PDB file of all heavy atoms in Angstrom:
ATOM      1  N   GLU A  40      -8.882 -28.580 -20.514  1.00 89.00           N
ATOM      2  CA  GLU A  40     -10.210 -28.504 -21.109  1.00 89.00           C
ATOM      3  C   GLU A  40     -10.566 -27.089 -21.542  1.00 89.00           C
ATOM      4  O   GLU A  40     -11.498 -26.895 -22.319  1.00 89.00           O
ATOM      5  CB  GLU A  40     -11.261 -29.001 -20.103  1.00 89.00           C
ATOM      6  CG  GLU A  40     -11.057 -30.443 -19.677  1.00 89.00           C
ATOM      7  CD  GLU A  40     -12.058 -30.862 -18.621  1.00 89.00           C
ATOM      8  OE1 GLU A  40     -13.130 -30.222 -18.534  1.00 89.00           O
ATOM      9  OE2 GLU A  40     -11.783 -31.830 -17.885  1.00 89.00           O
ATOM     10  N   GLY A  41      -9.841 -26.117 -21.043  1.00 88.00           N
ATOM     11  CA  GLY A  41     -10.157 -24.726 -21.321  1.00 88.00           C
ATOM     12  C   GLY A  41     -11.174 -24.197 -20.324  1.00 88.00           C
ATOM     13  O   GLY A  41     -12.032 -24.940 -19.842  1.00 88.00           O
ATOM     14  N   LEU A  42     -11.065 -22.938 -19.985  1.00 92.00           N
ATOM     15  CA  LEU A  42     -11.954 -22.327 -19.006  1.00 92.00           C
ATOM     16  C   LEU A  42     -12.229 -20.892 -19.425  1.00 92.00           C
ATOM     17  O   LEU A  42     -11.296 -20.093 -19.569  1.00 92.00           O
ATOM     18  CB  LEU A  42     -11.311 -22.349 -17.617  1.00 92.00           C
ATOM     19  CG  LEU A  42     -12.097 -21.693 -16.478  1.00 92.00           C
ATOM     20  CD1 LEU A  42     -13.390 -22.464 -16.218  1.00 92.00           C
ATOM     21  CD2 LEU A  42     -11.260 -21.642 -15.216  1.00 92.00           C
ATOM     22  N   ASP A  43     -13.487 -20.586 -19.644  1.00 92.00           N
ATOM     23  CA  ASP A  43     -13.884 -19.242 -20.058  1.00 92.00           C
ATOM     24  C   ASP A  43     -14.146 -18.406 -18.803  1.00 92.00           C
ATOM     25  O   ASP A  43     -15.231 -18.408 -18.239  1.00 92.00           O
ATOM     26  CB  ASP A  43     -15.140 -19.310 -20.921  1.00 92.00           C
ATOM     27  CG  ASP A  43     -15.579 -17.931 -21.389  1.00 92.00           C
ATOM     28  OD1 ASP A  43     -14.788 -16.970 -21.265  1.00 92.00           O
ATOM     29  OD2 ASP A  43     -16.713 -17.804 -21.878  1.00 92.00           O
ATOM     30  N   LEU A  44     -13.117 -17.684 -18.369  1.00 95.00           N
ATOM     31  CA  LEU A  44     -13.234 -16.886 -17.150  1.00 95.00           C
ATOM     32  C   LEU A  44     -14.271 -15.779 -17.294  1.00 95.00           C
ATOM     33  O   LEU A  44     -14.876 -15.341 -16.304  1.00 95.00           O
ATOM     34  CB  LEU A  44     -11.864 -16.287 -16.793  1.00 95.00           C
ATOM     35  CG  LEU A  44     -11.717 -15.622 -15.430  1.00 95.00           C
ATOM     36  CD1 LEU A  44     -12.054 -16.595 -14.303  1.00 95.00           C
ATOM     37  CD2 LEU A  44     -10.293 -15.083 -15.256  1.00 95.00           C
ATOM     38  N   ALA A  45     -14.515 -15.351 -18.538  1.00 93.00           N
ATOM     39  CA  ALA A  45     -15.438 -14.233 -18.783  1.00 93.00           C
ATOM     40  C   ALA A  45     -16.890 -14.542 -18.378  1.00 93.00           C
ATOM     41  O   ALA A  45     -17.687 -13.631 -18.215  1.00 93.00           O
ATOM     42  CB  ALA A  45     -15.397 -13.839 -20.254  1.00 93.00           C
ATOM     43  N   GLN A  46     -17.229 -15.821 -18.202  1.00 95.00           N
ATOM     44  CA  GLN A  46     -18.607 -16.170 -17.821  1.00 95.00           C
ATOM     45  C   GLN A  46     -18.840 -16.006 -16.324  1.00 95.00           C
ATOM     46  O   GLN A  46     -19.983 -16.125 -15.853  1.00 95.00           O
ATOM     47  CB  GLN A  46     -18.910 -17.598 -18.230  1.00 95.00           C
ATOM     48  CG  GLN A  46     -18.141 -18.663 -17.450  1.00 95.00           C
ATOM     49  CD  GLN A  46     -18.502 -20.073 -17.859  1.00 95.00           C
ATOM     50  OE1 GLN A  46     -19.666 -20.471 -17.743  1.00 95.00           O
ATOM     51  NE2 GLN A  46     -17.528 -20.807 -18.362  1.00 95.00           N
ATOM     52  N   TYR A  47     -17.785 -15.709 -15.556  1.00 97.00           N
ATOM     53  CA  TYR A  47     -17.900 -15.602 -14.107  1.00 97.00           C
ATOM     54  C   TYR A  47     -17.834 -14.139 -13.656  1.00 97.00           C
ATOM     55  O   TYR A  47     -17.344 -13.267 -14.371  1.00 97.00           O
ATOM     56  CB  TYR A  47     -16.791 -16.413 -13.425  1.00 97.00           C
ATOM     57  CG  TYR A  47     -16.913 -17.895 -13.680  1.00 97.00           C
ATOM     58  CD1 TYR A  47     -16.151 -18.521 -14.676  1.00 97.00           C
ATOM     59  CD2 TYR A  47     -17.812 -18.677 -12.948  1.00 97.00           C
ATOM     60  CE1 TYR A  47     -16.274 -19.869 -14.916  1.00 97.00           C
ATOM     61  CE2 TYR A  47     -17.937 -20.038 -13.189  1.00 97.00           C
ATOM     62  CZ  TYR A  47     -17.180 -20.633 -14.179  1.00 97.00           C
ATOM     63  OH  TYR A  47     -17.312 -21.970 -14.427  1.00 97.00           O
ATOM     64  N   HIS A  48     -18.322 -13.928 -12.433  1.00 98.00           N
ATOM     65  CA  HIS A  48     -18.348 -12.577 -11.869  1.00 98.00           C
ATOM     66  C   HIS A  48     -17.494 -12.457 -10.606  1.00 98.00           C
ATOM     67  O   HIS A  48     -17.053 -11.367 -10.253  1.00 98.00           O
ATOM     68  CB  HIS A  48     -19.789 -12.191 -11.532  1.00 98.00           C
ATOM     69  CG  HIS A  48     -20.715 -12.333 -12.691  1.00 98.00           C
ATOM     70  ND1 HIS A  48     -21.396 -13.507 -12.961  1.00 98.00           N
ATOM     71  CD2 HIS A  48     -21.046 -11.470 -13.684  1.00 98.00           C
ATOM     72  CE1 HIS A  48     -22.120 -13.361 -14.059  1.00 98.00           C
ATOM     73  NE2 HIS A  48     -21.939 -12.143 -14.519  1.00 98.00           N
ATOM     74  N   LEU A  49     -17.283 -13.584  -9.927  1.00 98.00           N
ATOM     75  CA  LEU A  49     -16.460 -13.632  -8.714  1.00 98.00           C
ATOM     76  C   LEU A  49     -15.539 -14.834  -8.811  1.00 98.00           C
ATOM     77  O   LEU A  49     -15.994 -15.949  -9.056  1.00 98.00           O
ATOM     78  CB  LEU A  49     -17.347 -13.741  -7.465  1.00 98.00           C
ATOM     79  CG  LEU A  49     -16.658 -14.081  -6.142  1.00 98.00           C
ATOM     80  CD1 LEU A  49     -15.652 -13.010  -5.739  1.00 98.00           C
ATOM     81  CD2 LEU A  49     -17.703 -14.285  -5.026  1.00 98.00           C
ATOM     82  N   LEU A  50     -14.256 -14.587  -8.633  1.00 98.00           N
ATOM     83  CA  LEU A  50     -13.249 -15.659  -8.606  1.00 98.00           C
ATOM     84  C   LEU A  50     -12.699 -15.747  -7.187  1.00 98.00           C
ATOM     85  O   LEU A  50     -12.289 -14.729  -6.610  1.00 98.00           O
ATOM     86  CB  LEU A  50     -12.107 -15.369  -9.580  1.00 98.00           C
ATOM     87  CG  LEU A  50     -10.873 -16.271  -9.472  1.00 98.00           C
ATOM     88  CD1 LEU A  50     -11.211 -17.716  -9.860  1.00 98.00           C
ATOM     89  CD2 LEU A  50      -9.734 -15.744 -10.327  1.00 98.00           C
ATOM     90  N   ILE A  51     -12.676 -16.959  -6.638  1.00 98.00           N
ATOM     91  CA  ILE A  51     -12.128 -17.166  -5.297  1.00 98.00           C
ATOM     92  C   ILE A  51     -10.937 -18.113  -5.394  1.00 98.00           C
ATOM     93  O   ILE A  51     -11.056 -19.254  -5.884  1.00 98.00           O
ATOM     94  CB  ILE A  51     -13.169 -17.718  -4.327  1.00 98.00           C
ATOM     95  CG1 ILE A  51     -14.373 -16.776  -4.244  1.00 98.00           C
ATOM     96  CG2 ILE A  51     -12.557 -17.899  -2.936  1.00 98.00           C
ATOM     97  CD1 ILE A  51     -15.471 -17.246  -3.299  1.00 98.00           C
ATOM     98  N   LEU A  52      -9.793 -17.636  -4.930  1.00 98.00           N
ATOM     99  CA  LEU A  52      -8.579 -18.434  -4.836  1.00 98.00           C
ATOM    100  C   LEU A  52      -8.442 -18.848  -3.384  1.00 98.00           C
ATOM    101  O   LEU A  52      -8.273 -18.009  -2.507  1.00 98.00           O
ATOM    102  CB  LEU A  52      -7.371 -17.619  -5.308  1.00 98.00           C
ATOM    103  CG  LEU A  52      -7.483 -17.077  -6.731  1.00 98.00           C
ATOM    104  CD1 LEU A  52      -6.361 -16.089  -7.016  1.00 98.00           C
ATOM    105  CD2 LEU A  52      -7.474 -18.203  -7.745  1.00 98.00           C
ATOM    106  N   ILE A  53      -8.521 -20.139  -3.122  1.00 97.00           N
ATOM    107  CA  ILE A  53      -8.712 -20.623  -1.761  1.00 97.00           C
ATOM    108  C   ILE A  53      -7.395 -20.944  -1.062  1.00 97.00           C
ATOM    109  O   ILE A  53      -6.311 -20.878  -1.632  1.00 97.00           O
ATOM    110  CB  ILE A  53      -9.634 -21.851  -1.757  1.00 97.00           C
ATOM    111  CG1 ILE A  53      -9.020 -22.998  -2.586  1.00 97.00           C
ATOM    112  CG2 ILE A  53     -11.004 -21.486  -2.288  1.00 97.00           C
ATOM    113  CD1 ILE A  53      -9.833 -24.273  -2.539  1.00 97.00           C
ATOM    114  N   GLY A  54      -7.539 -21.330   0.213  1.00 94.00           N
ATOM    115  CA  GLY A  54      -6.382 -21.636   1.033  1.00 94.00           C
ATOM    116  C   GLY A  54      -5.924 -23.071   0.885  1.00 94.00           C
ATOM    117  O   GLY A  54      -6.582 -23.918   0.283  1.00 94.00           O
ATOM    118  N   GLY A  55      -4.780 -23.345   1.476  1.00 93.00           N
ATOM    119  CA  GLY A  55      -4.166 -24.658   1.412  1.00 93.00           C
ATOM    120  C   GLY A  55      -2.674 -24.510   1.254  1.00 93.00           C
ATOM    121  O   GLY A  55      -2.068 -23.563   1.745  1.00 93.00           O
ATOM    122  N   PHE A  56      -2.063 -25.447   0.550  1.00 93.00           N
ATOM    123  CA  PHE A  56      -0.616 -25.442   0.373  1.00 93.00           C
ATOM    124  C   PHE A  56      -0.316 -25.726  -1.104  1.00 93.00           C
ATOM    125  O   PHE A  56       0.039 -26.840  -1.482  1.00 93.00           O
ATOM    126  CB  PHE A  56       0.052 -26.468   1.275  1.00 93.00           C
ATOM    127  CG  PHE A  56      -0.251 -26.239   2.737  1.00 93.00           C
ATOM    128  CD1 PHE A  56      -1.342 -26.866   3.333  1.00 93.00           C
ATOM    129  CD2 PHE A  56       0.513 -25.386   3.497  1.00 93.00           C
ATOM    130  CE1 PHE A  56      -1.643 -26.643   4.666  1.00 93.00           C
ATOM    131  CE2 PHE A  56       0.226 -25.150   4.823  1.00 93.00           C
ATOM    132  CZ  PHE A  56      -0.859 -25.783   5.425  1.00 93.00           C
TER     133      PHE A  56
END
Side-chain angles (χ1 to χ4, degrees):
E40 300 176 22
L42 178 65
D43 181 13
L44 190 58
Q46 69 178 299
Y47 295 98
H48 306 90
L49 168 63
L50 169 66
I51 302 180
L52 303 170
I53 61 176
F56 302 91

